[in-house]
Amino acid sequence: MSTTPAVPGAPLPGAPLLDVRDLRVEYRSRGRRTVAAVRSVDLQVAPGEVVALVGESGSGKSSAVRGIMQLIRPAGGEVRFDGQDLTTMGRKELRRARRDMQMVFQDPFSSLDPAMTVAEIIAEPLMVHTDQDRKHRRASVVEMLELVGLRREHADRYPHEFSGGQRQRIAIARALVLRPRLVIADEAVSALDVSSQNQVLQLLQSLIAELGIACLFITHDLAVVRSIADRVAVMYLGRLVEQQPTEELFSSPQHPYTQALLSAALVADPRVQRTRRRMRLEGELPDPSNPPAGCVFSTRCPAAIDVCHVEMPELLPLADGGRVACHLVETVAAAPGLAVR
Ligand code: SF4
């Protein structure tokens, strides 16, 4: 098979839609010290695939999203979307690229402009990115409202007239109105009660499947990703520590941190819950400006041995797929140029 794209610069067939390599995101603290929130993250999302990025608050997952979307310029690495590196793009090019990459944010109470009607909110991306006239925009708004389970008469109301779950439906309608190729959902159901959470999750899941949209789903709650994600990447203190297909991760978590997260998560299947060894996650996430030497998890890991405190384990492939960064887990050496999935 030829590995040369038909159009120069176009992505190779089978290439990931989103391809993040060695992403680093830094902030300046008040004392003007540099704090590395994301240290060398590799992450790929294939067209139509749902990848969950999971970690505690402070693990760097939201900073990773900001770096991917170029809301903050990364300190290093590449973020390729459809083969094009976003980190080298100017404002105009980025604006064009963002048409195909839409976001759903955590807080439906602050992410919707209270002064705009629902129709104006959903139509806004169409105004920015298309030349649709008013009549067509209205038709698109009504179509989206019905797709997300709201009614056409909701179009002329304001966000405060809706519940949290309904507001998140409006946010999803806005994110999908342009039929993007990738949606990044950043803690999109975390602010909702459990019943709205399930409904919004099911809606998002069915819409992305129906429209063939890829999704990067960011959450601190491992329990919610089982039904939605094809693959799960676990992040701790700015690094990926494990990545596996969802079922493998739930049935055979390799990294002690993933095992602790799973142990703490509520699992619907009581047989799984009974057989799961409870593992308490002791202590706090270390200060990202002062990470531990060696493995980032060494200060909280019940399995840590001497080498863990001096040598950082690499994220290496597992024999039957996935990757893990732990000195105690048997991995296979990465072949040069290995597709990282
Ligand atoms: Fe624990 Fe050591 Fe593995 Fe890190 S490398 S997760 S400290 S056993």
Side-chain angles (χ1 to χ4, degrees), residues 241 254-257 294-309 311-313 324-329:
V241 295
Q254 297 294 312
H255 196 280
Y257 178 58
C295 172
V296 280
F297 192 51
S298 59
T299 53
R300 299 168 86 189
C301 181
I305 53 175
D306 287 351
V307 66
C308 303
H309 298 286
E311 201 177 299
M312 191 184 68
V324 69
C326 175
H327 291 306
L328 298 188
V329 180

Side-chain angles (χ1 to χ4, degrees), residues 102 112 116-128 132 137-146 148 150-151 154-156 162 166-167 169-179:
Q102 295 289 318
L112 305 180
M116 289 168 83
T117 64
V118 168
E120 287 166 344
I121 288 169
I122 297 174
E124 198 178 28
L126 296 170
M127 307 254 304
V128 174
Q132 274 188 15
R137 285 200 305 271
R138 183 75 183 185
S140 299
V141 166
V142 169
E143 186 198 1
M144 286 315 301
L145 280 173
E146 287 170 355
V148 299
L150 295 171
R151 296 194 303 273
H154 287 141
D156 300 312
F162 296 89
Q166 287 175 319
R167 288 186 204 200
R169 286 169 190 264
I170 297 166
I172 290 171
R174 178 179 58 185
L176 301 188
V177 72
L178 289 168
R179 302 291 194 273

Side-chain angles (χ1 to χ4, degrees), residues 316-337:
L316 292 174
L318 291 158
D320 48 1
R323 292 183 298 159
V324 69
C326 175
H327 291 306
L328 298 188
V329 180
E330 198 173 325
T331 53
V332 291

